[in-house]
Every structure is written in structure tokens, then in C-alpha cells.
Amino acid sequence: MTSQAFPLDLDTLCPRLAQGQGDGDPLVIPIVQSTTFCRSGLDSRAEHRYSRESNPTVAALETALGRLESAPPAVAFATGLAAEAALFQSLLTAGDHVVCSRAVYGGTTRLLQQVLPKQGIETTFVDSTDCEAVAHALRAETKLVFIETPANPTLVLSDIARIAVIAHARGALLAVDNTFLTPVLQQPLELGADFSVYSTTKFIEGHSVALGGAVVGRDPELLDELRFIRKCTGGVQAPFNAWLTLQGLKTLPLRLQRQSENARILAEWLSVHPDVATCHYPSLHGFAQKRLAGEQHRGAHGAVVAFELDGGAERARGILNAVRLCRLVEHVGSVETLLTHSASMTHGGVAPEEREATGVTEGLLRLSVGLENPLDVCADLQQALEATSEERSVSCRA
């Protein structure tokens, strides 16, 4: 990052990005809840004309998200998937090819497997933890490499810097879904990526009240093309959702620091629990890519933990029905601790054999750790484990 474009620490910058900056400005950026804007005449050069194209509140969020990565204003969308779809539309045409991480959000898989082929765009899914596999999958027609790191939900990592070099050497661009870590804990553009992609619905907004997505990049022409696609397809973010996301942004570093620490505590407890077969979290000693995590992440590893229980699918489903504090939802990134059965929820539309190949088994549970005392979350999981253990014992005796 350059000191001129990014002079403040993120802890200082985030609370200030959602504030008025000039003399007489309101401290809290207001919601401009208007579909259209007045002009002084036909030759008016007003910044905003119609909210499907641009809106002052949405523009404030875009400026803030861009500054987090020393970039021009981001392009904000109604959802994270809308952001991905617009990115693909802006970069790809019939005959083009995409290389994508095999371990990726289920919605991304559906988009690439079921929607883009109708437009003549083909995708090869690879294990992007293996840079050689990425290089081998590239073709002359490859225009984009799309990776998600950490991957949802297994948390496997892809080496952004190395893959950027590989992609660029073959004339392809690199986009990174950075939703799980946000710019606070990982900066893809600094590592060589061309785009950072976000579901701002998750950690950036952080309170489960506003859908949103964004693409951050440094090429003004590509960003302008994204804005044109958004204008044509109507996937713009609503002003109220942008305003709510700006409020969440103020506490993003503080929340992620606490949530990451809570996640580390829970991961260490789960990793030695006798009823847990495997636990995935980048700081654990047994995590295969711990060294890469230390190089690529910025001091912490996020709030998501994945684990699989002895007893597989039956035990996992029992836990989901037995927890009292953890909330069973299809979501991550909120201040509450959330539990998800990825195989039937986020990845329910992905073919079973593909899920299994990426480690999304029927027995895998994804934990999005919140701001509660981690000991209370441990206690909730423990009582659920004990309850399901008793049920299994009774079932066996019967």
C-alpha cells in the first residue's frame, strides 16, 4: 500500500470512512432515499441522475471499500452473486474459458456450471491449492482465473501471489473472493490479484440486516465496464442497504479481531475433542497450509471454523437439532455465532460427488464464530455433543 493513498491504519480508517469529511458535513453519512435527481438543464453535468446508475449513499460505500485496498471506488451490487455475475459478464464472451477453484461457494458453482454455459462460456474447476494444477488448466481461451481463499467451507487456501503470476503470464486476469477475510485480514490486490470480490452481506456489514456485494479493482476501464453492466442489468445496491453496510464498516476491524480470537479458541478446543474427527482452521498445528496462512493473512485468520464429527452425517444432524446458543442458518459473518450444514444448505445445489471431492461431506459443520464469550459457545457445543452421544447409545441398545 502507498502511504499517500492509504495513510491510516485500518483500525483508524474504518470508523472514519462512513463519516462526513468536510466543514458542515453530517457526522453520519445520510441515506439519500431517492430514485432520481434534479438537473439544472439539459446540459447539466450532475454527478447523480438516477439511482440505478449511481446514488450518493451507494457512492460513499464504494469510495470506502476502494480506500480499504488503496484502489479507486469499488462497484457495489445488490448481492455478492450479482457482483460475480456482473464481473463474468464484463470480462467474458462466448468461447471464453474460466479456471475456478474446486472448493468454492455453492452459488458460484451454480453460476459457472448452469448459467454461463448457456452463453458459450466454459469453466474448468481445479484444486487451486495446487498452483501447478491451475497452470495446467489454463488455455489460450482462458480469460479469468477465479479463486476463493479461504475456501467455503473447508478453509483450504490458494496462493494468491503465485497464481497471479501464473495467470498474468498467460494473459488471464485473477479475481479473488475475499468475503471470509475482508480487506482487514487479506489484501488480494496487494498480492497481485486484479479484482477482490465480496459479499458485503457477510462480515463487512456484519449484523445480518443488509444484502450487498462489491467488486474492487485498480483498472479504471474495467471498473467503468462493471458500472455499465450494472446499469444495464439493474443489479445496483439499495441506498438503505449501503447505509447499513457503512455503519457495519465502522466496527469491522474490531469485530474481526475479537471474532478471529474466539474462532481460534474454539478451533483449538474442537481439534482435541474426542468426538471430533477433523477440525479446519488456519492457525492449527495440523493445518496443512499454516505457513501460507501466516504469509498471506494479516495477523489473524478469520471467524470461520469447519469440523467433522465421529459419527458422520447422523451425528452432525443431531448436533444441529441440539444446539441452543448457536443459530442454525445459511449465513456467515454476523455478530452471533452461526452453525451451517454446508452439504444441505450452502452447497445443496452442488452434485454430491462434487461436494465430496472438495471435502464438503454430509458430516461437515461450518461454524461462523460471533462476539459471544467463546466459553459459552464451547458449553453449547459440548451439551449438544453429549445429547447426541446419549441418543446414539440409546439407539444402539434398542
Side-chain angles (χ1 to χ4, degrees), residues 31-370:
I31 307 166
V32 181
Q33 193 66 44
S34 180
T35 59
T36 192
F37 301 88
C38 299
R39 305 190 196 188
S40 60
L42 290 178
D43 296 328
S44 168
R45 296 186 178 183
E47 182 178 359
H48 304 287
R49 295 176 292 181
Y50 196 74
S51 280
R52 177 163 45 81
E53 182 177 4
S54 67
N55 172 280
T57 311
V58 177
L61 174 62
E62 292 175 331
T63 297
L65 293 174
R67 284 201 63 192
L68 289 178
E69 297 192 60
S70 302
V75 186
F77 292 87
T79 67
L81 272 175
E84 287 186 14
L87 181 67
F88 297 149
Q89 287 178 302
S90 69
L91 298 178
L92 306 170
T93 58
D96 288 342
H97 176 249
V98 179
V99 174
C100 183
S101 299
R102 181 176 293 145
V104 70
Y105 171 55
T108 304
T109 302
R110 290 191 298 270
L111 187 59
L112 291 169
Q113 284 186 337
Q114 299 177 42
V115 178
L116 291 189
K118 297 176 182 179
Q119 301 169 19
I121 297 165
E122 185 180 350
T123 300
T124 300
F125 291 88
V126 300
D127 177 6
S128 59
T129 67
D130 181 353
C131 292
E132 294 304 316
V134 174
H136 183 72
L138 291 170
R139 309 175 186 170
E141 311 85 57
T142 305
K143 296 296 189 295
L144 178 67
V145 178
F146 189 97
I147 62 176
E148 180 178 338
T149 182
N152 179 12
T154 58
L155 303 181
V156 294
L157 307 182
S158 300
D159 190 326
I160 297 172
R162 286 188 62 193
I163 293 175
V165 171
I166 291 168
H168 294 158
R170 299 286 293 275
L173 299 174
L174 173 63
V176 179
D177 186 335
N178 194 33
T179 294
F180 273 17
L181 294 184
T182 82
V184 172
L185 298 182
Q186 183 170 263
Q187 296 252 326
L189 302 187
E190 290 295 318
L191 293 168
D194 300 285
F195 300 101
S196 296
V197 183
Y198 297 97
S199 170
T200 60
T201 311
K202 310 304 192 296
F203 289 98
I204 290 176
E205 189 277 313
H207 297 80
S208 302
V209 294
L211 293 172
V215 177
V216 184
R218 290 180 177 162
D219 186 321
E221 291 186 6
L222 292 176
L223 293 173
D224 285 344
E225 179 65 18
L226 274 171
R227 288 192 172 85
F228 177 73
I229 294 293
R230 183 182 66 182
K231 177 183 177 181
C232 293
T233 58
V236 69
Q237 188 166 153
F240 186 47
N241 284 5
W243 184 82
L244 289 168
T245 304
L246 280 165
Q247 306 322 303
L249 191 64
K250 294 179 181 181
T251 59
L252 178 61
L254 187 63
R255 284 187 284 109
L256 276 178
Q257 179 183 7
R258 174 64 182 270
Q259 288 173 274
S260 295
E261 177 60 15
N262 288 354
R264 181 192 64 78
I265 292 169
L266 281 160
E268 291 179 355
W269 176 74
L270 287 165
S271 69
V272 296
H273 197 287
D275 288 350
V276 175
T278 57
C279 183
H280 309 276
Y281 190 71
S283 69
L284 293 175
H285 291 302
F287 190 78
Q289 299 167 295
K290 184 177 180 180
R291 180 176 178 179
L292 176 60
E295 296 170 351
Q296 196 159 272
H297 301 170
R298 295 161 58 96
H301 305 292
V304 180
V305 179
F307 62 100
E308 189 159 2
L309 299 164
D310 284 332
E314 180 184 356
R315 190 79 185 281
R317 291 178 182 275
I319 294 293
L320 295 170
N321 292 325
V323 289
R324 299 168 184 167
L325 177 66
C326 303
R327 295 302 184 189
L328 175 59
V329 298
E330 193 165 334
H331 189 44
V332 297
S334 192
V335 293
E336 304 89 0
T337 294
L338 312 173
L339 196 58
T340 300
H341 183 244
S342 296
S344 66
M345 297 170 79
T346 58
H347 291 66
V350 179
E353 61 274 14
E354 293 182 29
R355 292 199 304 262
E356 293 282 339
T358 59
V360 185
T361 66
E362 292 287 337
L364 187 76
L365 297 178
R366 185 187 71 185
L367 192 67
S368 176
V369 183

